[in-house]
Amino acid sequence: MAITQHINTHSASAKSKSKFGVLALIFLSVVINYMDRTNISVAAQAISDDLEFSKVQMGIIFSAFAWTYSIMQIPGGMLVDSIRIRLLYPFILVAWSLATIVQGLLSSFSAIVGCRMAIGFFEAPSYPANNKIVTQWFAEQERAGAIAVYTSGQFIGLAFLMPVLALIQQWFGWRGLFFISGGIGIIWAGVWYLLYRDPAVQSESNTDNQDAITGDTPQKLHNDRQTTDPSQAQATASWRNLKIAFSSRKLWGIYIGQFCLGGTLIFFLTWFPTYLAEYRGLSELNTGFIASIPFLAAFCGVLLSGFLSDWLVRKGVSNEVARKAPIIVGLLLSSTVILANYVESTQWVTFFLSVTFFGNGLASINWVFVSLIAPKHMVGLVGGCFNFIGGLSAVTVPIAIGYLAKDGDFRPALILVACLALVGLCSYLFLVGKVEQIQLPPLDTSDGPLSDTQVIHQHPSSSGETK
């Protein structure tokens, strides 16, 4: 008996290490993902000076990534539901890394726009994939913490990478910056393929393995297998499910929130270095170091949010408080970006922008709502819709800021970012409502728009909520 207990304990420990190893892979992939989508912001001033691009043209270049990134979110989510992650992830890594390298060979405005579109196209499935991996590997009460860890990669990675990328550009020029960034991504694609395994492959020989990964009991897994309609699993990519994804007020609440949250994020990922260099008069190297401080603040925000949220769930606090509160507080803090318009010193500007990005980090666990609310077999699809709407902010906000700041005055741009944060706050307060999983309706009730009362029912065997 003691030997059996020891073996089970050792097995559970090994499996726990496996899932945290997977989390480390996602974290580093997010760092590389954001390096390749934001290196253009570090190079922006040099590109603009070298190729004589206007602010409006740079706004279009910043936006171009999001044109295809947004459009491909829903197809990307469907791909995530259909193709093994171990095969899909290395493919898209290599593809967007090659586009990053080619970017460094170009001098034409239209060609650079095309390359940015290619990077967005191939990065599109990455975040739905990240969310599905966490949904598969982590129990619901661990999920916000796991999402916080990998999401923090976009902040802590860029906090340290901003000065490094500035140094690389100083040594090798803006073209060399793209060559080195793309090369790192190709190497990482090989590492991912060698190290990652899908959880189904890990647990083929032992049902208990899935118990350790997700926290499900054998009886719960049995009930899920008995109550899941195979036709629903096979219909994930159907138009019927797409209609469900766009018919729920609850889902629209998190979609709008993601759009508004993205408005703050995209400012920091695109125009922020230019704001510091041109409007605040910092040197190129100082810009890299100062720009890293708000990213560190966001990193602290997202980790605090994720682990505090999971702790509250484990203590029995409702999802309405444990999951929503960090997002609402975070969006409120993000609106303080407007205060940077009323100070002159670099220290105060850095302070208010750091508070703003700390708030953005607090709210960045909003991906957890996809796995909490989405129908059981539509996590990838709803994640794609969620990121599609969020990605539209990356289409519109950079161009809007380009026009608002075309005369060199960034104050209207910061007002825009603050207003978006407040709209997002209202979306979570008034649209999301009670946090519970949407169940697929019977086929004969799928015609016509579906209200929340038609499609949302609490189902203990599949919702994964802690009671």
Side-chain angles (χ1 to χ4, degrees), residues 178-392:
F178 293 134
F179 297 152
I180 292 170
S181 300
I184 291 171
I186 291 173
I187 293 169
W188 182 247
V191 173
W192 174 277
Y193 183 77
L194 289 174
L195 297 182
Y196 181 77
R197 294 295 183 274
D198 294 305
V201 175
Q202 296 266 32
S203 60
E204 277 176 352
S205 61
N206 192 348
T207 302
D208 291 339
N209 190 30
Q210 187 65 22
D211 305 347
I213 289 172
T214 65
D216 292 339
T217 64
Q219 182 61 44
K220 178 180 182 300
L221 291 172
H222 173 75
N223 290 342
D224 282 350
R225 284 192 291 267
Q226 294 299 316
T227 58
T228 297
D229 181 357
S231 68
Q232 291 178 349
Q234 295 167 2
T236 301
S238 71
W239 287 109
R240 171 177 170 263
N241 288 351
L242 190 60
K243 181 164 60 176
I244 292 169
F246 282 109
S247 297
S248 168
R249 175 180 56 82
K250 192 179 297 290
L251 289 179
W252 271 107
I254 67 172
Y255 296 161
I256 294 170
Q258 177 71 344
F259 178 91
C260 296
L261 191 68
T264 302
L265 178 62
I266 202 64
F267 166 73
F268 282 93
L269 297 183
T270 57
W271 282 108
F272 182 45
T274 303
Y275 167 79
L276 292 177
E278 293 190 8
Y279 187 64
R280 293 296 177 176
L282 299 180
S283 69
E284 187 177 87
L285 197 54
N286 283 338
T287 292
F289 283 99
I290 296 296
S292 70
I293 296 173
F295 282 96
L296 285 172
F299 167 74
C300 294
V302 72
L303 287 185
L304 172 64
S305 176
F307 289 110
L308 176 62
S309 179
D310 277 349
W311 181 79
L312 290 172
V313 168
R314 288 194 293 271
K315 291 294 182 181
V317 177
S318 69
N319 280 328
E320 282 67 41
V321 175
R323 301 312 195 190
K324 275 189 185 179
I327 295 175
I328 291 169
V329 172
L331 287 165
L332 185 61
L333 289 176
S334 291
S335 68
T336 63
V337 69
I338 197 171
L339 298 178
N341 283 341
Y342 303 101
V343 295
E344 295 298 331
S345 71
T346 301
Q347 291 85 351
W348 277 110
V349 169
T350 304
F351 172 77
F352 285 122
L353 290 170
S354 297
V355 169
T356 296
F357 218 14
F358 174 80
N360 190 267
L362 277 180
S364 292
I365 63 161
N366 59 341
W367 266 98
V368 75
F369 283 91
V370 174
S371 57
L372 288 174
I373 295 176
K376 190 173 182 64
H377 301 292
M378 290 173 55
V379 171
L381 175 59
V382 170
C385 297
F386 175 80
N387 225 24
F388 165 69
I389 301 296
L392 293 179

Side-chain angles (χ1 to χ4, degrees), residues 114-130:
C115 249
R116 295 298 298 171
M117 291 173 66
I119 295 170
F121 182 93
F122 289 112
E123 282 197 11
S126 59
Y127 258 70
N130 294 340

Side-chain angles (χ1 to χ4, degrees), residues 338-467:
I338 197 171
L339 298 178
N341 283 341
Y342 303 101
V343 295
E344 295 298 331
S345 71
T346 301
Q347 291 85 351
W348 277 110
V349 169
T350 304
F351 172 77
F352 285 122
L353 290 170
S354 297
V355 169
T356 296
F357 218 14
F358 174 80
N360 190 267
L362 277 180
S364 292
I365 63 161
N366 59 341
W367 266 98
V368 75
F369 283 91
V370 174
S371 57
L372 288 174
I373 295 176
K376 190 173 182 64
H377 301 292
M378 290 173 55
V379 171
L381 175 59
V382 170
C385 297
F386 175 80
N387 225 24
F388 165 69
I389 301 296
L392 293 179
S393 66
V395 173
T396 56
V397 171
I399 295 176
I401 292 176
Y403 277 99
L404 291 172
K406 65 182 178 181
D407 296 325
D409 184 0
F410 274 84
R411 286 177 297 178
L414 297 192
I415 293 172
L416 170 65
V417 173
C419 290
L420 285 172
L422 292 175
V423 170
L425 186 154
C426 292
S427 176
Y428 271 93
L429 283 176
F430 302 116
L431 293 181
V432 173
K434 187 177 180 182
V435 180
E436 56 187 0
Q437 189 176 55
I438 296 172
Q439 300 297 317
L440 294 181
L443 286 172
D444 59 356
T445 64
S446 64
D447 293 330
L450 295 166
S451 67
D452 287 338
T453 56
Q454 287 176 294
V455 300
I456 301 174
H457 307 283
Q458 189 65 25
H459 196 297
S461 69
S462 62
S463 69
E465 283 197 8
T466 302
K467 296 295 183 184

